[in-house]
Amino acid sequence: MSQFEPHLFVVFGASGDLARRKLLPAFYRLQQREGFGKMCRVLGVARRPWDDATFRAKAAEALIEAGIDPDEVKAWCSQHLSYQQVDGDFEPLADRIAEIEETGGLPGNRVFYLALPPGVFVPTIEGLAVAGLADGPGWRRLVIEKPFGHDLASARALNGAVHQVFDEREVYRIDHYLGKETVQNLLVFRFANALFENAWTRDRIEQVQITVAEEVGVEDRAGYYDSAGATRDMLQSHLAQLLTLTAMEPPARFDADAIRDEKVKVLRSLRPVDPARAVFGQYVAGSIRGEPVPGYADEVGAPSSTETAVAIEVFVDSWRWEGVPFLLRTGKRFPTRRSVIVVTFREPPISLFGPDHAGHARPNVLVLTIQPDEGFELTVDVKTPGDGMDLDTVSFRFSYADEFGEIPDAYETLIADVIIGDQTLFVRSDEVEEAWAVFEPLLADHPDPDGYTAGSWGPAAMASLAGDHAWYPTG
């Protein structure tokens, strides 16, 4: 793995919410890490007519809101942050970059982070090329926020435009779910522990459920979301990533391409999706934690057929997983914010402790919690004290916070990987296209979504997909 090198981190969309809430705090905290050094400058780029002082003042507000000591914020912003307005012409940006690199003694290493609406990805990349910013004495790295296209055709077009200017080895498609500790730990959990890897097969596992639940509605994203929906926004990206990491084979070696090769194999092994085994929903007015919230149509200001929740059953046609259903579910205005992978193991072929025993034997269940309260728990059956053979189910639990204290934010982890040149947690071009190919049949023609009350776990039809097993954490 590469080590930290002095560089300039250029953030397009520096006046936006992502930069304020996630990127600026991540930059600050990375600078406090031992080994990351101090020779890093951040150049914010946006259309707003700000100067350095305005940007630094806005950044200081964001950092203080993120819980960073106000006494340290002003000096850091003054030392590390600059701003350049860009509105179509990239030549002033090129001049400003040259000035910062010269005065700061930087060798020409540059990261370009596109915290932008997807419609301006391609013009921004082309602008970098025209201004000569994609060439130079140091390395170049391009970071692209999702969504990576709107469908398969647009994803291919975007990849083509990117590759006209940047080599795939220079491209970092960021999915913040892959920066979460529990997602990364899934590789360690599986491949460093023979106990679980030996049981990670169709012979031992009955079903896998992956849920990404959100309390929030569309809020200020209504314009984007109404043209996307849950299938594009979450199923094709976050849930597809969690599915590949859960189902992948051991890589030949622990490096970025070997791991991503195995993830692509999972997507290529997925059986064509059956729209009859998919459920679409849209929230109507209800309440979250006792507070009334409006319905989706009220938030977007008009009736809409866009789904805010989707659940689907998929199968991986491989030697390891043949016949095991993977149930994927996501939705907005669910009762709680929670992302989990739930693995239900098969019951013994012959049960000595059937329904006649109080608290009869239940299948072992492994719950990997991605957010919040990252960790995992494993349920096992035990005998209750006293006469007879009464059973009870207990859990073994591991919590990252309890064991290690506060863990880094996902963006902090991912930005660090960009800086050192590690692509393991980033999505490769073929992976993007394969994911779109899998779920595109759901985009073309799906029924109008069923209504579900905000604060519930989605349409009633979702429960039937899980069979005898309740969707966690509903049961």
Side-chain angles (χ1 to χ4, degrees):
M1 180 183 296
S2 302
Q3 299 301 311
F4 171 83
E5 297 177 78
H7 65 282
L8 176 64
F9 209 111
V10 183
V11 181
F12 288 87
S15 62
D17 186 59
L18 176 63
R20 180 181 183 87
R21 291 188 304 106
K22 295 293 186 180
L23 302 185
L24 288 168
F27 291 139
Y28 177 86
R29 293 187 175 111
L30 281 172
Q31 287 294 305
Q32 313 313 308
R33 287 195 194 181
E34 184 179 354
F36 269 79
K38 301 299 181 185
M39 290 192 65
C40 168
R41 292 283 299 273
V42 177
L43 175 61
V45 177
R47 292 186 174 185
R48 295 190 181 186
W50 291 351
D51 57 13
D52 288 352
T54 303
F55 180 54
R56 289 166 183 167
K58 299 285 187 182
E61 292 175 2
L63 294 173
I64 292 170
E65 288 176 5
I68 296 168
D69 187 347
D71 293 335
E72 300 177 4
V73 161
K74 185 177 180 180
W76 184 84
C77 291
S78 177
Q79 184 178 5
H80 292 279
L81 302 185
S82 303
Y83 181 82
Q84 178 64 45
Q85 181 189 12
V86 170
D87 192 4
D89 182 4
F90 280 63
E91 291 303 327
L93 175 62
D95 293 340
R96 188 67 194 280
I97 288 175
E99 173 199 336
I100 292 172
E101 290 177 341
E102 180 178 357
T103 59
L106 301 179
N109 298 324
R110 300 166 187 166
V111 178
F112 300 107
Y113 194 118
L114 306 191
L116 296 168
V120 293
F121 285 167
V122 172
T124 303
I125 293 167
E126 292 173 344
L128 292 172
V130 169
L133 292 171
D135 301 306
W139 45 253
R140 303 289 182 275
R141 289 167 190 157
L142 178 72
V143 186
I144 308 177
E145 278 280 345
K146 79 174 202 54
F148 317 120
H150 190 72
D151 52 21
L152 179 57
S154 61
R156 286 173 172 164
L158 177 57
N159 282 335
V162 168
H163 292 155
Q164 287 289 320
V165 180
F166 292 92
D167 186 86
E168 181 64 25
R169 292 170 296 179
E170 301 172 314
V171 181
Y172 294 72
R173 296 171 189 83
I174 193 167
D175 185 331
H176 72 273
Y177 262 67
L178 298 186
K180 296 184 181 296
E181 288 292 339
T182 310
V183 174
Q184 298 174 67
N185 192 54
L186 185 57
L187 297 175
V188 177
F189 189 88
R190 286 190 53 193
F191 302 131
N193 296 290
L195 172 67
F196 291 104
E197 178 55 24
N198 289 339
W200 218 254
T201 72
R202 67 186 188 280
D203 296 325
R204 297 288 181 265
I205 292 176
E206 179 180 353
Q207 182 188 93
V208 179
Q209 298 180 9
I210 302 175
T211 296
V212 177
E214 299 179 283
E215 282 188 20
V216 299
V218 293
E219 300 176 330
D220 59 355
R221 299 175 69 226
Y224 158 74
Y225 195 90
D226 202 47
S227 65
T231 305
R232 286 184 170 93
D233 189 48
M234 298 293 285
L235 182 62
Q236 181 274 338
S237 55
H238 296 332
L239 277 86
Q241 290 298 314
L242 296 178
L243 168 63
T244 58
L245 289 167
T246 304
M248 64 182 276
E249 295 296 321
R253 57 192 179 277
F254 195 82
D255 65 28
D257 276 331
I259 290 171
R260 295 189 294 181
D261 286 345
E262 296 302 331
K263 291 169 66 184
V264 169
K265 288 179 185 177
V266 172
L267 294 171
R268 289 175 177 166
S269 299
L270 285 174
R271 190 180 304 173
V273 296
D274 180 2
R277 297 294 288 169
V279 178
F280 303 90
Q282 183 186 106
Y283 62 85
V284 298
S287 64
I288 303 289
R289 300 185 183 274
E291 295 293 328
V293 294
Y296 176 76
D298 299 321
E299 290 184 313
V300 300
S304 172
S305 61
T306 298
E307 79 283 2
T308 61
V310 59
I312 187 170
E313 178 186 68
V314 299
F315 291 89
V316 181
D317 285 339
S318 68
W319 189 272
R320 181 185 294 266
W321 293 112
E322 181 62 29
V324 177
F326 284 77
L327 306 178
L328 313 180
R329 175 180 66 165
T330 186
K332 291 186 175 295
R333 294 296 191 202
F334 279 9
T336 186
R337 170 178 171 264
R338 197 161 185 84
S339 299
V340 293
I341 301 170
V342 181
V343 180
T344 301
F345 292 93
R346 297 189 185 278
E347 297 186 40
I350 298 177
S351 177
L352 300 178
F353 310 104
D356 293 338
H357 287 78
H360 65 278
R362 296 174 177 82
N364 302 119
V365 177
L366 173 66
V367 180
L368 296 133
T369 301
I370 310 300
Q371 68 174 11
D373 305 321
E374 291 90 339
F376 65 83
E377 65 179 275
L378 176 66
T379 67
V380 297
D381 288 326
V382 299
K383 178 187 177 297
T384 59
D387 297 334
M389 287 296 293
D390 296 345
L391 306 185
D392 196 7
T393 300
V394 300
S395 296
F396 295 101
R397 291 185 175 90
F398 164 78
S399 164
Y400 266 95
D402 291 346
E403 187 69 23
F404 299 111
E406 185 178 359
I407 60 178
D409 178 78
Y411 275 95
E412 185 179 335
T413 299
L414 293 169
I415 289 173
D417 282 351
V418 172
I419 293 171
I420 63 177
D422 184 352
Q423 291 182 301
T424 302
L425 300 178
F426 296 85
V427 186
R428 205 168 59 190
S429 59
D430 54 345
E431 194 175 347
V432 170
E433 294 178 16
E434 292 292 343
W436 277 118
V438 167
F439 294 109
E440 193 165 51
L442 300 179
L443 304 176
D445 184 24
H446 68 70
D448 288 340
D450 297 331
Y452 65 94
T453 303
S456 70
W457 285 100
M462 281 190 177
S464 65
L465 287 179
D468 295 333
H469 303 293
W471 285 99
Y472 187 88
T474 59

